[in-house]
Amino acid sequence: MGSDGLAVRIMRSTGMRVSECLALRSTDFITHIDGNVIVRVRRQVQSGQIVPLKHRHDWEGREVPVSASLAKLVSERKAGDLFSTSYRSFLDRFTRQARKAGLPAGFTPHQLRHGFASTLLAGGIDIATVSRWMGDEVRTVASTYAHLMPGQTDRALALLEDDYAGKSQNVA
């Protein structure tokens, strides 16, 4: 898999923005003692420079879990920067390849981010976790993806009714 393919896979599998993905280094992928891999998203490319994430000047960023198959692809790369392309060059190549693949006009790498969030939320991963992994506020994710969480109001009302009736396991 080429560098552009790896970038697409990383963005779709982690919800990263293009600018975050292009700033990745191999050392941002960390294997925990339990064998699970995370990626630390701490930087972004801006005007050709690597800078801290937007609104983050502590360089801490966020951690996102990484699938075993993606971890393997990254581990097969040489150490250091994973990408050596400019933001604009990547977008130009992405757009050309998307058209070639028959994707609709206007399909951008941001749709990969939407695919990440949509898959997780529709699969029942809680919104606070997904928003943390994406580096967004819960209200932003909720307003964008609420349609993917059908039945949440009914579930909430049932929980509240059980709580009122004394059937709840929660003690406040």
Side-chain angles (χ1 to χ4, degrees):
M1 174 180 295
S3 289
D4 288 350
L6 179 61
V8 167
R9 176 73 191 274
I10 289 171
M11 288 184 283
R12 179 59 176 85
S13 298
T14 65
M16 278 189 222
R17 298 168 181 91
V18 174
S19 60
E20 296 166 343
C21 181
L22 295 180
L24 287 173
R25 296 182 181 131
S26 57
T27 54
D28 292 325
F29 289 80
I30 298 158
T31 303
H32 285 282
I33 196 162
D34 63 4
N36 290 323
V37 177
I38 56 103
V39 60
R40 286 199 176 128
V41 185
R42 301 179 296 175
R43 298 172 300 277
Q44 65 183 8
V45 174
Q46 187 176 55
S47 302
Q49 301 295 315
I50 295 184
V51 299
L53 290 177
K54 286 189 283 186
H55 313 296
R56 297 298 303 247
H57 298 285
D58 57 10
W59 289 81
E60 287 184 24
R62 64 186 189 274
E63 294 183 349
V64 183
V66 174
S67 69
S69 59
L70 178 57
K72 183 177 184 313
L73 287 173
V74 171
S75 72
E76 294 169 350
R77 299 289 174 163
K78 64 180 172 87
D81 294 340
L82 291 179
F83 306 101
S84 60
T85 187
S86 73
Y87 185 91
R88 176 55 43 206
S89 294
F90 175 81
L91 284 181
D92 290 344
R93 289 192 307 276
F94 181 92
T95 301
R96 279 195 307 275
Q97 290 302 315
R99 296 311 149 265
K100 190 175 174 181
L103 294 171
F107 187 87
T108 68
H110 201 72
Q111 271 76 29
L112 301 171
R113 183 171 166 80
H114 286 304
F116 170 81
S118 298
T119 298
L120 296 178
L121 292 168
I125 304 300
D126 69 274
I127 196 164
T129 299
V130 174
S131 65
R132 185 177 71 247
W133 291 340
M134 294 180 74
D136 282 338
E137 293 184 13
V138 171
R139 68 177 179 218
T140 302
V141 174
S143 66
T144 304
Y145 302 101
H147 65 285
L148 296 172
M149 298 172 281
Q152 294 296 309
T153 301
D154 293 338
R155 185 170 166 246
L157 290 174
L159 289 169
L160 291 170
E161 190 62 37
D162 285 350
D163 184 56
Y164 179 75
K167 298 178 194 173
S168 174
Q169 300 297 322
N170 297 325
V171 178

